[in-house]
Amino acid sequence: MRLIIMGPPGAGKGTQAQILVEKYSIPQLSTGDILRAAIEAKTPMGLQAKEIMARGDLVPDEVVCGIVSERLDGDDAKGGFVLDGFPRTIAQAEELDAMMTEKGIALDAVISLEVDADALVARIKKRAAESGGSRADDNEEVLRNRLDVYGELTEPLIAYYAKQGNVKHIDGMASIEDVTASIAQELNK
Ligand code: ADP
């Protein structure tokens, strides 16, 4: 199963991606997690990404496309994967299409988690409180920027993939269990 899970910050992508990992025995390829690990390890890529991520802006397309291309070639991704946090721009989506064509693989579905903006702010504030501030980008001002960036650059991808005919619209406002159930139902159609 080759999947993309998309949705605004706080939509529950990571939670549902983990469930898909278990269900289909596929890896979760999270560009956010990979970048945070690079920051932690103080690699050159991490140093480049650190300030950008702390502001809630997007890391350059070449950087994240490089990460994904490398991960798609990993042995664990041969049988499928769930991309979480990528693509985030039309340019990234076009690059992903090119990479997949070159590798002779195709997406099975794009899962779009749909939630309203007020709920997102509340969820992220809760996550920030619970994580004890471990993520530099979980504060209100940065969150608003991340939501703006999402609306401007990432949301247009839903229409991009709708044209390809593989978007599954999921109501992300339901409970975790119900969201999981509606994803399962859509993927089994
Ligand atoms: P969330 O799931 O809360 O939206 P992520 O963990 O996916 O957050 O991403 C955190 C930050 O990492 C983003 O705000 C951005 O700075 C950077 N990032 C992650 N993925 C990408 C990407 N595909 N393109 C550019 N920047 C990215």
Coordinates of all heavy atoms in Angstrom, one line a residue, residues 7-14 30-36 39 49-65 67-68 84-89 92 124 127 135 137-138 142-143 145-146 149-150 154, ligand 1:
G7 N -3.0 16.8 5.7 CA -4.0 17.6 6.5 C -3.2 18.6 7.2 O -2.0 18.6 7.3
P8 N -3.9 19.6 7.8 CA -3.2 20.7 8.4 C -2.5 20.3 9.7 O -2.7 19.2 10.2 CB -4.3 21.7 8.7 CG -5.6 21.0 8.7 CD -5.3 19.8 7.7
P9 N -1.6 21.1 10.2 CA -0.9 20.8 11.5 C -1.9 20.5 12.5 O -2.9 21.2 12.6 CB -0.1 22.1 11.9 CG -0.1 22.9 10.6 CD -1.2 22.5 9.7
G10 N -1.8 19.4 13.3 CA -2.7 19.1 14.3 C -3.9 18.3 13.9 O -4.8 17.9 14.7
A11 N -3.9 17.9 12.6 CA -5.1 17.1 12.1 C -5.1 15.6 12.5 O -6.0 14.9 12.3 CB -5.1 17.2 10.5
G12 N -3.9 15.2 13.0 CA -3.9 13.8 13.5 C -3.2 12.9 12.5 O -3.3 11.7 12.5
K13 N -2.3 13.5 11.6 CA -1.6 12.7 10.6 C -0.7 11.6 11.2 O -0.8 10.5 10.8 CB -0.8 13.6 9.7 CG -1.5 14.6 8.9 CD -0.5 15.4 7.9 CE 0.5 16.2 8.7 NZ -0.1 17.4 9.2
G14 N 0.0 12.1 12.2 CA 1.0 11.2 12.8 C 0.3 10.0 13.5 O 0.8 8.8 13.3
S30 N 8.1 10.2 7.6 CA 7.7 11.5 8.0 C 8.8 12.5 7.8 O 9.9 12.4 8.5 CB 7.3 11.5 9.5 OG 7.3 12.7 10.1
T31 N 8.7 13.4 6.9 CA 9.8 14.4 6.7 C 10.0 15.2 7.9 O 11.1 15.5 8.3 CB 9.5 15.3 5.5 OG1 8.1 15.7 5.5 CG2 9.7 14.5 4.2
G32 N 8.9 15.5 8.7 CA 9.1 16.3 9.9 C 10.0 15.5 10.9 O 10.9 16.1 11.5
D33 N 9.7 14.2 11.1 CA 10.5 13.4 12.0 C 11.9 13.3 11.6 O 12.9 13.4 12.4 CB 9.9 12.0 12.1 CG 8.6 11.9 12.9 OD1 8.3 12.9 13.6 OD2 8.0 10.8 12.9
I34 N 12.1 13.1 10.3 CA 13.5 13.0 9.7 C 14.3 14.3 9.9 O 15.4 14.3 10.3 CB 13.5 12.5 8.2 CG1 12.9 11.1 8.1 CG2 14.9 12.6 7.6 CD1 12.5 10.7 6.7
L35 N 13.6 15.4 9.7 CA 14.3 16.7 9.9 C 14.6 17.0 11.4 O 15.6 17.5 11.7 CB 13.4 17.8 9.3 CG 13.3 17.9 7.8 CD1 12.1 18.8 7.4 CD2 14.6 18.4 7.2
R36 N 13.6 16.6 12.2 CA 13.9 16.8 13.7 C 15.1 15.9 14.1 O 15.9 16.3 14.9 CB 12.6 16.5 14.5 CG 11.6 17.7 14.6 CD 10.5 17.4 15.5 NE 9.5 16.4 14.9 CZ 8.6 16.7 14.1 NH1 8.4 18.0 13.7 NH2 7.8 15.8 13.6
I39 N 18.2 17.6 13.1 CA 18.5 18.8 14.0 C 19.2 18.3 15.2 O 20.2 18.8 15.7 CB 17.2 19.6 14.3 CG1 16.7 20.3 13.1 CG2 17.5 20.6 15.5 CD1 15.4 21.0 13.3
A49 N 18.0 23.4 8.5 CA 16.5 23.3 8.8 C 16.1 24.0 10.1 O 14.9 24.4 10.2 CB 16.0 21.9 8.7
K50 N 16.9 24.0 11.0 CA 16.6 24.4 12.4 C 15.8 25.7 12.5 O 14.6 25.7 13.0 CB 17.8 24.4 13.3 CG 17.5 24.6 14.7 CD 18.7 24.5 15.6 CE 18.2 24.7 17.0 NZ 19.2 24.5 18.0
E51 N 16.3 26.8 12.0 CA 15.7 28.1 12.1 C 14.4 28.1 11.4 O 13.4 28.7 11.8 CB 16.6 29.2 11.6 CG 17.9 29.3 12.4 CD 17.7 29.6 13.8 OE1 16.8 30.4 14.2 OE2 18.4 28.9 14.7
I52 N 14.4 27.5 10.2 CA 13.2 27.5 9.3 C 12.1 26.8 10.0 O 10.9 27.4 10.0 CB 13.6 26.8 8.0 CG1 14.7 27.5 7.2 CG2 12.3 26.7 7.1 CD1 15.2 26.7 6.0
M53 N 12.4 25.7 10.6 CA 11.3 24.9 11.2 C 10.8 25.7 12.5 O 9.6 25.6 12.8 CB 11.8 23.5 11.6 CG 11.8 22.6 10.4 SD 12.5 21.0 10.7 CE 11.2 20.3 11.7
A54 N 11.7 26.3 13.2 CA 11.3 27.0 14.4 C 10.3 28.1 14.1 O 9.5 28.5 14.9 CB 12.5 27.5 15.2
R55 N 10.4 28.7 12.9 CA 9.5 29.8 12.5 C 8.2 29.2 11.9 O 7.3 30.0 11.7 CB 10.2 30.6 11.3 CG 11.3 31.5 11.7 CD 11.6 32.5 10.6 NE 11.9 31.9 9.3 CZ 13.1 31.6 8.9 NH1 14.1 31.8 9.6 NH2 13.2 31.1 7.7
G56 N 8.2 27.9 11.6 CA 7.0 27.3 11.0 C 7.0 27.5 9.5 O 6.0 27.3 8.8
D57 N 8.1 27.9 8.9 CA 8.2 28.0 7.4 C 8.6 26.6 6.8 O 9.0 25.7 7.6 CB 9.2 29.1 7.0 CG 8.7 30.5 7.4 OD1 7.5 30.6 7.4 OD2 9.5 31.4 7.7
L58 N 8.7 26.6 5.5 CA 9.0 25.3 4.9 C 10.5 25.2 4.5 O 11.1 26.2 4.0 CB 8.2 25.1 3.6 CG 6.7 24.9 3.8 CD1 6.0 24.6 2.4 CD2 6.3 23.9 4.8
V59 N 11.0 24.1 4.8 CA 12.4 23.7 4.4 C 12.4 23.7 2.9 O 11.4 23.3 2.3 CB 12.8 22.4 5.1 CG1 14.1 21.8 4.6 CG2 12.7 22.5 6.6
P60 N 13.5 24.0 2.2 CA 13.5 24.0 0.7 C 13.1 22.7 0.1 O 13.4 21.6 0.6 CB 15.0 24.4 0.4 CG 15.5 25.1 1.6 CD 14.8 24.5 2.8
D61 N 12.4 22.8 -1.0 CA 11.9 21.6 -1.7 C 13.0 20.6 -2.0 O 12.8 19.4 -1.8 CB 11.2 22.0 -3.0 CG 9.9 22.7 -2.8 OD1 9.3 22.5 -1.8 OD2 9.5 23.5 -3.7
E62 N 14.2 21.1 -2.4 CA 15.3 20.2 -2.8 C 15.7 19.3 -1.6 O 16.0 18.1 -1.7 CB 16.6 20.9 -3.2 CG 16.4 22.0 -4.2 CD 16.1 23.3 -3.5 OE1 16.9 23.9 -2.9 OE2 14.9 23.7 -3.6
V63 N 15.7 19.9 -0.4 CA 16.1 19.2 0.8 C 15.2 18.1 1.1 O 15.6 16.9 1.3 CB 16.2 20.2 2.0 CG1 16.5 19.4 3.3 CG2 17.3 21.2 1.8
V64 N 13.9 18.4 1.2 CA 12.9 17.3 1.5 C 12.7 16.3 0.4 O 12.6 15.1 0.6 CB 11.5 17.9 2.0 CG1 11.6 18.5 3.3 CG2 11.0 18.9 1.0
C65 N 12.8 16.8 -0.9 CA 12.7 15.8 -2.0 C 13.9 14.8 -1.9 O 13.7 13.6 -2.2 CB 12.7 16.5 -3.3 SG 11.1 17.4 -3.6
I67 N 15.5 13.8 0.8 CA 15.2 12.9 1.9 C 14.2 11.8 1.4 O 14.5 10.6 1.6 CB 14.4 13.6 3.1 CG1 15.4 14.6 3.8 CG2 13.9 12.7 4.1 CD1 14.7 15.5 4.8
V68 N 13.2 12.2 0.7 CA 12.1 11.2 0.3 C 12.7 10.3 -0.7 O 12.5 9.1 -0.6 CB 10.9 12.0 -0.1 CG1 9.9 11.0 -0.8 CG2 10.2 12.7 1.0
D84 N 4.1 11.0 5.4 CA 3.4 11.9 6.3 C 4.2 13.3 6.3 O 5.4 13.3 6.7 CB 3.4 11.2 7.7 CG 3.2 12.1 8.9 OD1 2.8 13.3 8.7 OD2 3.5 11.7 10.0
G85 N 3.5 14.3 5.9 CA 4.2 15.6 5.9 C 4.9 15.9 4.6 O 5.6 16.9 4.5
F86 N 4.7 15.1 3.6 CA 5.3 15.3 2.3 C 4.3 14.6 1.3 O 3.8 13.6 1.6 CB 6.6 14.6 2.2 CG 7.3 14.7 0.8 CD1 8.2 15.7 0.6 CD2 7.0 13.8 -0.2 CE1 8.7 15.9 -0.7 CE2 7.5 14.0 -1.5 CZ 8.4 15.0 -1.7
P87 N 4.0 15.3 0.2 CA 4.5 16.6 -0.3 C 3.7 17.7 0.4 O 2.6 17.5 0.9 CB 4.2 16.6 -1.8 CG 3.1 15.6 -1.9 CD 3.2 14.6 -0.9
R88 N 4.4 18.9 0.5 CA 3.7 20.0 1.1 C 3.6 21.2 0.1 O 3.0 22.2 0.5 CB 4.6 20.5 2.3 CG 4.1 20.2 3.7 CD 5.1 20.8 4.7 NE 4.5 20.9 6.0 CZ 4.6 19.9 6.9 NH1 5.1 18.7 6.6 NH2 4.1 20.1 8.1
T89 N 4.1 21.1 -1.1 CA 4.0 22.1 -2.1 C 3.7 21.4 -3.4 O 4.0 20.2 -3.6 CB 5.3 22.9 -2.3 OG1 6.3 22.0 -2.7 CG2 5.8 23.6 -1.0
Q92 N 6.8 19.9 -4.8 CA 7.2 18.6 -4.2 C 6.3 17.5 -4.7 O 6.8 16.4 -5.0 CB 7.0 18.6 -2.7 CG 8.0 19.5 -2.0 CD 7.8 19.6 -0.5 OE1 7.1 18.9 0.2 NE2 8.4 20.7 0.2
I124 N -3.3 21.7 19.1 CA -1.9 22.0 19.1 C -1.4 22.6 20.5 O -0.4 22.2 21.0 CB -1.4 22.8 18.0 CG1 -1.8 22.1 16.7 CG2 0.1 23.0 18.0 CD1 -0.8 22.1 15.6
R127 N -1.2 19.7 22.7 CA 0.0 18.9 22.4 C 1.3 19.6 23.0 O 2.1 19.0 23.6 CB 0.2 18.7 20.9 CG 1.4 17.9 20.6 CD 1.4 17.4 19.1 NE 1.8 18.5 18.2 CZ 1.7 18.3 16.8 NH1 1.3 17.2 16.3 NH2 2.1 19.3 16.1
R135 N 8.8 20.6 21.3 CA 8.8 21.0 19.9 C 8.9 22.5 19.8 O 8.0 23.1 20.2 CB 7.7 20.4 19.1 CG 7.9 19.0 18.5 CD 6.8 18.6 17.6 NE 6.6 19.4 16.5 CZ 5.8 19.0 15.4 NH1 5.3 17.8 15.4 NH2 5.7 19.8 14.4
D137 N 8.3 24.3 17.4 CA 7.3 25.0 16.6 C 5.9 24.8 17.1 O 4.9 25.1 16.5 CB 7.4 24.4 15.1 CG 7.2 22.9 15.0 OD1 7.1 22.3 16.1 OD2 7.2 22.4 13.9
D138 N 5.7 24.3 18.4 CA 4.4 24.2 19.0 C 4.0 25.4 19.9 O 3.7 25.2 21.0 CB 4.3 22.9 19.8 CG 3.7 21.7 18.9 OD1 3.3 22.0 17.8 OD2 3.7 20.6 19.5
V142 N 3.8 30.6 16.1 CA 4.3 29.8 15.0 C 3.2 28.9 14.4 O 3.2 28.7 13.2 CB 5.5 28.9 15.6 CG1 6.0 27.9 14.6 CG2 6.6 29.8 16.0
L143 N 2.3 28.4 15.3 CA 1.2 27.6 14.8 C 0.4 28.4 13.7 O 0.1 27.9 12.7 CB 0.3 27.2 15.9 CG -1.0 26.6 15.5 CD1 -0.8 25.3 14.6 CD2 -1.9 26.2 16.7
N145 N 1.4 30.7 11.8 CA 2.2 30.8 10.6 C 2.1 29.4 9.9 O 1.9 29.4 8.6 CB 3.7 31.2 10.9 CG 4.5 31.3 9.6 OD1 3.9 31.9 8.6 ND2 5.7 30.9 9.6
R146 N 2.2 28.3 10.6 CA 2.2 27.0 10.0 C 0.8 26.8 9.3 O 0.7 26.2 8.2 CB 2.4 25.9 11.0 CG 3.9 25.8 11.4 CD 4.2 25.1 12.6 NE 3.8 23.7 12.6 CZ 3.4 23.0 13.6 NH1 3.4 23.5 14.8 NH2 3.1 21.7 13.4
V149 N 0.8 28.9 6.1 CA 1.7 28.2 5.1 C 0.9 27.0 4.6 O 0.9 26.8 3.3 CB 3.0 27.8 5.7 CG1 3.8 26.8 4.8 CG2 3.9 29.0 6.1
Y150 N 0.2 26.3 5.4 CA -0.6 25.2 5.0 C -1.6 25.6 4.0 O -1.8 25.0 2.9 CB -1.2 24.4 6.2 CG -2.1 23.3 5.7 CD1 -1.5 22.1 5.4 CD2 -3.5 23.5 5.5 CE1 -2.3 21.0 4.9 CE2 -4.2 22.4 5.0 CZ -3.7 21.2 4.7 OH -4.4 20.2 4.2
T154 N 0.1 24.2 0.8 CA -0.2 22.7 0.9 C -1.6 22.4 0.5 O -1.8 21.4 -0.2 CB 0.1 22.2 2.3 OG1 1.5 22.6 2.6 CG2 0.1 20.7 2.3
Ligands
ADP1 P1 2.9 18.7 11.5 O1 2.6 17.3 11.3 O2 2.6 19.2 12.9 O3 2.3 19.6 10.4 P2 5.6 18.1 10.6 O4 6.3 17.3 11.7 O5 5.1 17.4 9.4 O6 4.5 18.9 11.4 O7 6.6 19.3 10.1 C1 7.2 20.2 11.0 C2 8.1 21.2 10.2 O8 9.1 20.5 9.4 C3 7.3 22.0 9.1 O9 6.6 23.1 9.7 C4 8.4 22.4 8.1 O10 9.2 23.4 8.6 C5 9.3 21.1 8.1 N1 8.9 20.2 7.1 C6 8.4 18.9 7.2 N2 8.1 18.4 6.1 C7 8.3 19.3 5.1 C8 8.2 19.4 3.7 N3 7.7 18.3 3.0 N4 8.6 20.5 3.0 C9 9.1 21.5 3.7 N5 9.2 21.6 5.0 C10 8.9 20.5 5.7

